[in-house]
């Protein structure tokens, strides 16, 4: 590629990290890149950027937009300040370079010039080492702050930053002070729990009284039982925060990034790596009240687990599959929260139950089996319309034609190959009869016999295509499969696969409280009807090539678009 060619289209990319730079850095990087492009006579056709984002991952909006535009052929060159602006991860930068190279797009940086494989290898290694070194230095620096009695980041509910003007005119960092109003709420939570109130009751009462809760990101600050109860081992939740008794515990856990999703996952550190520092000036809860809460937590755990068998909690990525057909799909029409099982048999609004009437007043419940039966009945009713029967018949015949056409081509290819193999075998046999036998000929003959057997098997399979069905037979098959939905979902051998397939076709079921409706609810089902018929077939595994399980192979056609209807 000739980089002095004036017609080259260039895309600019800039990024800054929140801990190292500031917002103006984006414009500074783009300004320098524009000047470089102008000197080269390139046309700037696009600009991408990521603000306050780490370079340790490609899970960034700007870089994703750049990759999408690359696939569209929008530019010839990506120009950035330095290679580490694109990524500091060695594997990511190598993959990005490979992708851009595949689309004939070159990376050029102000620091390295035109980037090649050598830059990727050396610079990628250096950036990976830099990331690791930064992490170790950051961890070392934070541990030093903790040992001095200062905060290492993050402010718990009940505290505010306490900053003073230093001699050089800057503000101090890492010091906290108690927020009196929030401290009263914390003590109240501890007292209520120690007296026997559940976290759900406490959260509902606080929400009812419009007491602002801890805000997380863009959260509304409502109280939730998990906010109060948290996780004892991880020290999360109001009732487990040791800072409230004047003890700061740091380095309980570390985070590791999932390479598939770019999301961080917490891992517990061994207790010997924890750093504990007394900070009595930050104590909010007295020791006796703390011990009373710990004693009640332990009694609750024993009551829930009388045998004492404590299984390690599974990691998030190892979570089990949904227990029931509609688990996780039901939504409250009034507040948007999930409908969850409030006991063994009934669904209800989770927000109303856990956060109280201040968040949602919907207290209506409904039996699980009634919800599932209405959903399946609604699907059966909708699918048995004459219009959908016609669509199914048309799709069935189309699928049949495609398969038979493929079978014909397969038979022809196998027949030709078989004839060629038999001709070679005959030639070898003739040579052996003429006395020209060698050890190599035996090996060749065995190979040809194996290839002959394989082609014969392919030919036999291709002959299994069934007789073309008549239209009435197809329509009857459609009705049978629709009516078999419930039976299939209750078959122990097929339940798991059938349930997963059907769940994939239902986006959500909105539960609207209505005293005049069955079960006190009207339901609005949203989802894609394509493929539902496969759930009604007893043959859930992928069938042999021409064995006749045609509903398994049908794709969505007209009339199978995403649907929304009331049940």
């Amino acid at each position: 590629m000739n980089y002095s060619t004036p017609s080259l289209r260039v895309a600019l990319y800039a990024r800054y990290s929140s801990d190292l730079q500031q917002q103006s850095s984006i414009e500074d990087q783009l300004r320098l890149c524009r000047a470089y492009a102008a000197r080269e006579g390139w046309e700037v056709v696009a600009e991408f950027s990521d603000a306050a984002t780490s370079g340790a991952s490609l899970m960034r909006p700007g870089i994703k937009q750049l990759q999408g535009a690359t696939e569209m052929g929008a530019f010839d060159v990506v120009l950035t300040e330095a290679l580490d602006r694109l990524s500091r991860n060695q594997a990511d930068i190598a993959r990005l370079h490979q992708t851009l190279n595949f689309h004939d797009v070159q990376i050029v940086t102000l620091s390295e010039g035109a980037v090649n494989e050598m830059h990727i290898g050396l610079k990628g290694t250096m950036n990976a080492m830099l990331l690791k070194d930064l992490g170790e230095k950051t961890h070392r620096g934070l541990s030093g702050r903790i040992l001095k009695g200062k905060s290492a980041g993050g402010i718990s509910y009940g505290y505010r930053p306490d900053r003073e003007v230093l001699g050089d005119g800057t503000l101090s960092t890492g010091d906290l002070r108690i927020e009196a109003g929030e401290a009263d709420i914390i003590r109240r939570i501890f007292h209520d729990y120690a007296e026997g109130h559940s976290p759900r009751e406490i959260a509902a009462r606080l929400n009812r009284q419009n007491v602002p809760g801890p805000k997380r990101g863009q959260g509304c600050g409502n109280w939730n039982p998990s906010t109060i109860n948290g996780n004892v081992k991880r020290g999360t939740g109001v009732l487990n925060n040791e800072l409230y008794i004047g003890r700061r515990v740091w380095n309980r856990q570390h985070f590791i990034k999932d390479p598939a999703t770019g999301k961080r996952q917490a891992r517990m550190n061994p207790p010997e790596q924890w750093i504990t520092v007394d900070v009595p000036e930050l104590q909010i809860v007295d020791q006796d009240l703390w011990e009373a809460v710990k004693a009640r937590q332990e009694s609750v755990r024993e009551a829930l687990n009388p045998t004492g068998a404590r299984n390690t909690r599974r990691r998030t990525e190892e979570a089990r599959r949904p227990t029931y057909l509609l688990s996780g799909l039901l939504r409250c029409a009034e507040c948007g929260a999930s409908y969850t099982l409030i006991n063994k048999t009934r669904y209800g609004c989770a927000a109303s139950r856990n956060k109280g009437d201040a968040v949602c007043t919907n207290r209506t419940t409904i039996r699980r089996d009634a919800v599932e039966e209405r959903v399946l009945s609604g699907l059966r009713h909708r699918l048995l319309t004459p219009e959908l029967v016609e669509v199914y018949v048309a799709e069935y015949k189309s699928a049949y034609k495609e398969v038979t056409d493929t079978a014909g081509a397969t038979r022809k290819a196998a027949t030709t190959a078989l004839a060629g193999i038999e001709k070679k075998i005959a030639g070898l046999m003739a040579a052996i009869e003429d006395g020209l036998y060698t050890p190599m000929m035996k090996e060749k003959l065995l190979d040809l016999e194996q290839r002959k057997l394989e082609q014969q098997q392919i030919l036999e399979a291709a002959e299994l295509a069934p007789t073309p069905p008549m239209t009435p037979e197809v329509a009857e098959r459609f009705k049978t499969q629709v009516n078999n939905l419930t039976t299939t979902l209750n078959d122990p051998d097929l339940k798991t696969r059938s349930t997963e397939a059907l769940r994939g076709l239902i986006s959500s079921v909105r539960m609207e409280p209505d005293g005049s409706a069955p079960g006190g609810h009207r339901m609005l089902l949203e989802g894609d009807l394509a493929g539902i018929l496969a759930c009604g077939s007893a043959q859930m595994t992928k069938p042999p090539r021409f064995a006749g399980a045609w509903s398994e192979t049908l794709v969505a056609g007209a009339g199978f678009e995403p649907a929304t209807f009331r049940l």
Side-chain angles (χ1 to χ4, degrees):
M1 184 180 290
N2 183 5
Y3 297 106
S4 63
T5 303
S7 61
L8 283 180
R9 301 163 300 161
V10 61
L12 310 184
Y13 179 79
R15 177 185 64 81
Y16 81 91
S17 302
S18 58
D19 57 337
L20 298 176
Q21 297 171 297
Q22 55 186 345
Q23 179 65 43
S24 60
S25 176
I26 291 284
E27 185 54 41
D28 290 340
Q29 293 175 47
L30 292 175
R31 175 174 50 80
L32 293 174
C33 288
R34 292 189 200 105
Y36 184 98
R39 289 195 300 271
E40 296 294 327
W42 297 345
E43 178 189 2
V44 177
V45 296
E47 295 183 356
F48 305 94
S49 64
D50 286 302
T53 307
S54 168
S57 168
L58 290 180
M59 302 296 178
R60 292 172 265 148
I63 205 71
K64 285 186 174 182
Q65 292 171 9
L66 184 148
Q67 289 176 298
T70 299
E71 295 175 0
M72 300 296 292
F75 42 79
D76 308 302
V77 177
V78 172
L79 178 62
T80 186
E81 182 184 41
L83 199 56
D84 59 14
R85 295 300 88 197
L86 291 171
S87 178
R88 289 186 182 277
N89 182 284
Q90 187 173 13
D92 284 345
I93 193 63
R95 186 165 59 253
L96 180 62
H97 178 264
Q98 188 178 37
T99 300
L100 294 178
N101 188 56
F102 175 78
H103 292 285
D104 200 25
V105 175
Q106 174 70 40
I107 300 175
V108 178
T109 73
L110 305 185
S111 301
E112 296 90 3
V115 173
N116 55 34
E117 286 75 7
M118 185 177 68
H119 290 98
I120 297 298
L122 294 178
K123 196 73 173 182
T125 301
M126 292 172 61
N127 285 332
M129 294 173 61
L130 174 61
L131 274 179
K132 183 178 180 180
D133 185 52
L134 281 174
E136 292 174 350
K137 287 182 178 178
T138 300
H139 190 273
R140 185 165 61 248
L142 292 176
S143 63
R145 289 171 65 88
I146 291 293
L147 293 173
K148 292 179 182 178
K150 298 197 178 275
S151 171
I155 301 175
S156 298
Y157 182 80
Y159 302 97
R160 290 289 181 271
D162 186 17
R163 295 185 175 181
E164 297 180 355
V165 179
L166 303 178
D168 60 358
T170 61
L171 294 176
S172 62
T173 59
D175 295 315
L176 301 178
R177 63 177 174 82
I178 296 174
E179 181 70 20
E182 294 182 357
D184 290 338
I185 299 300
I186 291 169
R187 284 187 284 266
R188 173 180 159 185
I189 291 172
F190 272 79
H191 278 292
D192 287 349
Y193 185 84
E195 290 175 357
H197 297 283
S198 70
R200 182 175 292 111
E201 292 175 320
I202 298 171
R205 188 180 302 115
L206 292 172
N207 287 325
R208 189 163 54 248
Q209 296 172 357
N210 295 318
V211 176
K215 293 186 177 181
R216 294 291 182 269
Q218 301 299 319
C220 61
N222 288 328
W223 288 94
N224 191 292
S226 62
T227 306
I228 296 171
N229 208 37
N231 183 295
V232 173
K233 289 185 178 180
R234 296 184 183 276
T236 59
V238 171
L239 297 177
N240 304 308
N241 191 342
E242 294 187 55
L243 191 58
Y244 295 149
I245 55 171
R247 184 163 59 230
R248 179 180 278 129
V249 181
W250 185 75
N251 203 40
R252 285 179 184 266
Q253 59 189 17
H254 66 281
F255 292 89
I256 185 168
K257 189 168 292 185
D258 185 338
T261 64
K263 295 181 178 180
R264 298 195 312 163
Q265 294 184 1
R267 298 285 187 271
M268 291 295 294
N269 292 327
E272 58 268 21
Q273 294 182 10
W274 298 1
I275 299 177
T276 303
V277 178
D278 290 331
V279 282
E281 70 278 6
L282 297 180
Q283 183 172 1
I284 292 176
V285 176
D286 64 67
Q287 190 67 33
D288 290 340
L289 181 56
W290 174 269
E291 295 297 341
V293 165
K294 296 295 110 179
R296 179 162 183 250
Q297 285 181 321
E298 181 61 26
S299 67
V300 170
R301 285 194 293 272
E302 290 179 355
L304 294 175
N305 188 23
T307 64
R310 302 287 175 80
N311 294 325
T312 303
R313 179 177 293 184
R314 290 185 176 185
R315 294 176 179 174
T316 304
E317 64 269 25
E318 297 172 346
R320 62 181 175 84
R321 293 169 175 166
T323 305
Y324 300 109
L325 172 63
L326 301 175
S327 296
L329 299 178
L330 304 181
R331 297 287 172 184
C332 175
E334 294 194 358
C335 70
S338 295
Y339 253 49
T340 58
L341 284 173
I342 62 174
N343 55 40
K344 292 182 178 180
T345 61
R346 302 189 73 85
Y347 281 115
C349 175
S352 179
R353 179 170 178 255
N354 294 331
K355 300 182 180 181
D357 294 344
V359 175
C360 183
T361 59
N362 177 15
R363 288 284 181 171
T364 312
T365 65
I366 186 170
R367 288 183 61 85
R368 176 183 62 81
D369 54 0
V371 177
E372 293 178 356
E373 176 55 34
R374 282 175 64 183
V375 168
L376 291 176
S377 296
L379 289 175
R380 286 196 296 268
H381 174 72
R382 294 280 173 168
L383 288 170
L384 289 176
T385 61
E387 293 80 10
L388 281 181
V389 173
E390 291 180 9
V391 171
Y392 178 83
V393 171
E395 288 291 323
Y396 192 105
K397 291 183 175 180
S398 175
Y400 178 86
K401 183 178 184 303
E402 181 180 346
V403 171
T404 52
D405 288 348
T406 302
T410 301
R411 283 194 298 270
K412 182 178 180 181
T415 301
T416 302
L418 191 59
I421 293 171
E422 290 177 339
K423 183 177 180 180
K424 291 180 180 179
I425 292 175
L428 283 175
M429 294 301 295
I432 293 173
E433 291 174 356
D434 291 340
L436 299 177
Y437 174 79
T438 66
M440 290 293 294
M441 294 174 70
K442 178 181 179 182
E443 205 172 305
K444 181 67 173 176
L445 190 60
L446 290 174
D447 179 63
L448 287 171
E449 289 290 350
Q450 179 61 34
R451 289 168 56 190
K452 177 181 177 180
L453 179 61
E454 292 173 356
Q455 293 301 321
Q456 287 174 336
Q457 290 174 341
I458 293 174
L459 197 57
E460 290 173 3
E463 298 293 346
L464 293 178
T467 304
M470 301 297 290
T471 297
E473 296 174 1
V474 178
E476 192 59 35
R477 182 189 184 92
F478 176 88
K479 295 174 183 178
T480 300
Q481 290 181 262
V482 171
N483 288 322
N484 281 346
L485 279 174
T486 303
T487 303
T488 302
L489 289 169
N490 289 325
D491 186 331
D493 295 330
L494 302 174
K495 183 175 181 179
T496 299
R497 285 173 290 171
S498 300
T499 300
E500 288 179 352
L502 189 58
R503 282 174 56 83
L505 306 169
I506 301 174
S507 301
S508 67
V509 181
R510 290 182 55 197
M511 308 297 291
E512 301 177 354
D514 187 336
S516 63
H521 287 81
R522 293 188 182 278
M523 302 180 195
L524 183 69
L525 187 146
E526 300 174 345
D528 186 353
L529 297 181
I532 283 183
L533 302 183
C535 301
S537 171
Q539 195 163 3
M540 289 299 298
T541 55
K542 189 173 182 180
R545 180 178 295 185
F546 306 114
W550 305 105
S551 64
E552 174 80 24
T553 61
L554 284 182
V555 296
F560 284 87
E561 290 80 8
T564 301
F565 53 87
R566 293 189 180 276
L567 301 174

